[in-house]
């Protein structure tokens, strides 16, 4: 069931984005009809989680032109985006001041009511995927798909390049933010003012925490793992946000008719209940360090927008699972030469 946006979420978004940008985000998304509340001036963990998801979606729309165009058309028709999940990548190796792998993200998700629901073997990519699902409203609060890349599954030279790239990462969270997250985790709520102060730091966790990579390290990583090369330039940013739609085949056909770079087929899970496709990653310009100490700009794959249809389980609940085969194929959208196949 979907309803109007929660007051606390509106207050949080206005505090972070300002009234105009917040208003657009609020009009973009479909909101849960029944949301726990703890009174005026307070925000539950569910409301803070929804505000975080909305801020991260707003970031994706700013970086992915076709996603922005799609959402604008959606709004022009009087429809809203049902935010299913966002996905990001981490490195399961020492990352300087940043916690290793998924722990860097779990430490902000768990206090907001998320728990690790399932893990997925993405061994073809040298990765493991973890689905974080919200305890209060699992069908309505967007999930997070957090993948970890395992450098030890690649060459020694690759591992050395990984360490040069991420080994001196910074931690975007202050002590104050960690204390406030702990408070939310213990009590399940905080004041709107306190949440508004900490949210920008939490959003900052979904960004690149290391310096610009060298051109030679990037090329070495790209030769063995397009996913690690992507992390080198984009870090822990959302590599995609996902719209939950009624008929993914119809959406894909419409995007193809409009001449947009949609994946050439819909991926279907082993269960047959989860169907996914995506637009290819937007090209972005990033700085690289050169061997002579200079800087150069290079165009690389950025983030993308995904579409998913979820069918219901025999008990009537929505199938919120992911599928390793689907995920492996969808990840191809951030490869510079992606052909959209799952071969």
């Amino acid at each position: 069931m979907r309803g109007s946006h929660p007051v606390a979420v509106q207050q949080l978004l206005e505090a972070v984005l300002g009234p105009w940008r917040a208003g657009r985000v609020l009009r973009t998304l479909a909101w849960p009809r029944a949301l726990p509340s703890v009174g005026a001036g307070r925000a539950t963990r569910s409301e803070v989680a929804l505000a975080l998801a909305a801020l991260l979606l707003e970031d994706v729309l700013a970086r992915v032109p076709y996603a922005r165009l799609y959402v604008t058309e959606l709004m022009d028709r009087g429809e809203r985006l049902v935010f299913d999940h966002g996905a990001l990548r981490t490195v399961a190796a020492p990352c300087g001041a940043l916690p290793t792998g998924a722990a860097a993200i779990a430490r902000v998700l768990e206090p907001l009511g998320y728990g690790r629901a399932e893990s997925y073997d993405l061994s073809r990519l040298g990765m493991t995927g973890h689905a974080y699902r919200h305890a209060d409203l699992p069908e309505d609060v967007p999930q997070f798909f957090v993948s970890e890349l395992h450098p030890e599954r690649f060459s020694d030279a690759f591992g050395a390049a990984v360490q040069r790239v991420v080994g001196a990462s910074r931690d975007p969270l202050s002590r104050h933010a960690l204390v406030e997250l702990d408070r939310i985790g213990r009590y399940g709520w905080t004041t709107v003012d306190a949440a508004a102060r900490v949210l920008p730091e939490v959003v900052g966790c979904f960004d690149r925490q290391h310096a610009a990579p060298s051109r030679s390290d990037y090329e070495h990583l790209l030769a063995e793992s397009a996913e690690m090369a992507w992390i080198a330039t984009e870090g822990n940013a959302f590599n995609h946000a996902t719209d939950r739609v009624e008929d993914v085949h119809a959406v894909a056909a419409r995007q193809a008719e409009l001449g947009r770079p949609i994946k050439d087929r819909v991926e279907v899970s082993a269960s047959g209940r989860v169907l996914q496709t995506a637009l290819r990653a937007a090209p972005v310009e990033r700085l690289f360090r050169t061997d002579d100490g200079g800087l150069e700009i290079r165009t690389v794959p950025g983030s993308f927008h995904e579409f998913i249809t979820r069918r219901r389980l025999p008990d009537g609940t929505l199938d919120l699972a992911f599928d390793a085969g689907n995920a492996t194929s969808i990840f191809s959208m951030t490869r510079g030469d992606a052909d959209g196949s799952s071969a």
Side-chain angles (χ1 to χ4, degrees):
M1 298 291 288
R2 299 284 170 168
S4 59
H5 58 264
V7 172
V9 174
Q10 177 180 345
Q11 293 170 334
L12 290 171
L13 293 179
E14 288 180 348
V16 177
L17 298 175
W20 189 88
R21 288 171 64 197
R24 180 170 178 83
V25 175
L26 290 166
R27 293 189 300 273
T28 297
L29 288 165
W31 299 96
R33 185 174 298 279
L35 194 66
S37 177
V38 286
R42 298 179 177 183
T44 65
R45 64 184 189 178
S46 300
E47 290 169 324
V48 180
L50 283 168
L52 171 62
L55 290 167
L56 294 172
L57 176 65
E58 200 256 357
D59 174 61
V60 171
L61 297 182
R63 294 185 289 109
V64 182
Y66 278 121
R68 188 163 62 250
L69 181 59
Y70 166 80
V71 168
T72 298
E73 293 168 347
L74 200 68
M75 294 173 68
D76 287 345
R77 297 196 301 269
E79 300 174 21
R80 295 186 177 220
L81 185 147
V82 179
F83 192 3
D84 183 86
H85 72 273
L88 63 144
R89 299 168 181 176
T90 66
V91 183
C95 293
L98 194 66
T100 297
I105 302 301
R107 63 184 177 150
V108 301
L109 295 181
E110 289 171 353
L112 300 184
Y114 284 92
R116 184 180 292 184
E118 296 174 87
S119 294
Y120 299 89
D121 181 4
L122 308 178
S123 52
R124 283 175 55 191
L125 304 175
M127 306 178 85
T128 302
H130 306 289
Y132 285 84
R133 190 175 300 161
H134 204 273
D136 300 336
L137 293 169
E139 293 189 12
D140 295 317
V141 178
Q143 293 190 78
F144 285 71
F145 191 87
V146 184
S147 58
E148 294 179 310
L149 184 133
H150 304 284
E152 71 276 8
R153 299 184 186 178
F154 300 86
S155 70
D156 290 344
F158 178 93
V162 168
Q163 278 305 295
R164 287 192 294 272
V165 171
V166 303
S169 298
R170 69 181 189 91
D171 187 347
L173 291 181
S174 67
R175 177 62 184 165
H176 167 76
L178 291 168
V179 169
E180 184 57 35
L181 284 167
D182 179 69
R183 172 190 165 86
I184 298 172
R186 282 187 287 124
Y187 298 109
W189 66 274
T190 187
T191 66
V192 169
D193 288 345
R197 286 193 296 271
V198 79
L199 266 174
E201 289 190 45
V202 175
V203 170
C205 293
F206 299 83
D207 202 345
R208 194 180 79 193
Q209 313 302 342
H210 53 267
S214 71
R215 178 176 59 192
S216 57
D217 280 340
Y218 178 81
E219 290 175 349
H220 196 122
L221 296 174
L222 184 61
E224 296 193 44
S225 168
E227 288 70 35
M228 184 62 222
W230 193 93
I231 294 170
T233 63
E234 310 306 299
N236 306 128
F238 265 7
N239 61 35
H240 68 265
T242 305
D243 183 8
R244 188 189 301 164
V245 299
E246 289 294 324
D247 184 348
V248 72
H249 288 284
V251 171
R254 176 58 178 162
Q255 295 302 302
E257 288 172 5
L258 293 169
R260 294 171 188 167
I262 191 76
K263 195 175 186 298
D264 63 0
R265 72 182 190 188
V266 171
E267 299 298 324
V268 181
S269 67
S271 71
R273 291 188 295 267
V274 182
L275 299 84
Q276 296 167 263
T277 195
L279 295 161
R280 290 189 188 161
V284 294
E285 292 185 338
R286 295 290 182 258
L287 280 175
F288 291 83
R289 293 179 288 109
T290 58
D291 294 338
D292 61 5
L295 294 171
E296 69 175 17
I297 295 175
R298 180 169 175 169
T299 300
V300 297
S303 298
F304 63 96
H305 191 68
E306 183 186 22
F307 307 98
I308 191 168
T309 293
R310 293 187 180 278
R311 294 172 178 160
R312 295 200 172 270
L313 294 163
D315 65 3
T317 61
L318 202 63
D319 189 341
L320 295 174
F322 293 90
D323 181 271
N326 283 16
T328 298
S329 182
I330 292 291
F331 271 37
S332 71
M333 295 295 94
T334 57
R335 295 175 192 158
D337 59 349
D339 63 1
S341 73
S342 57

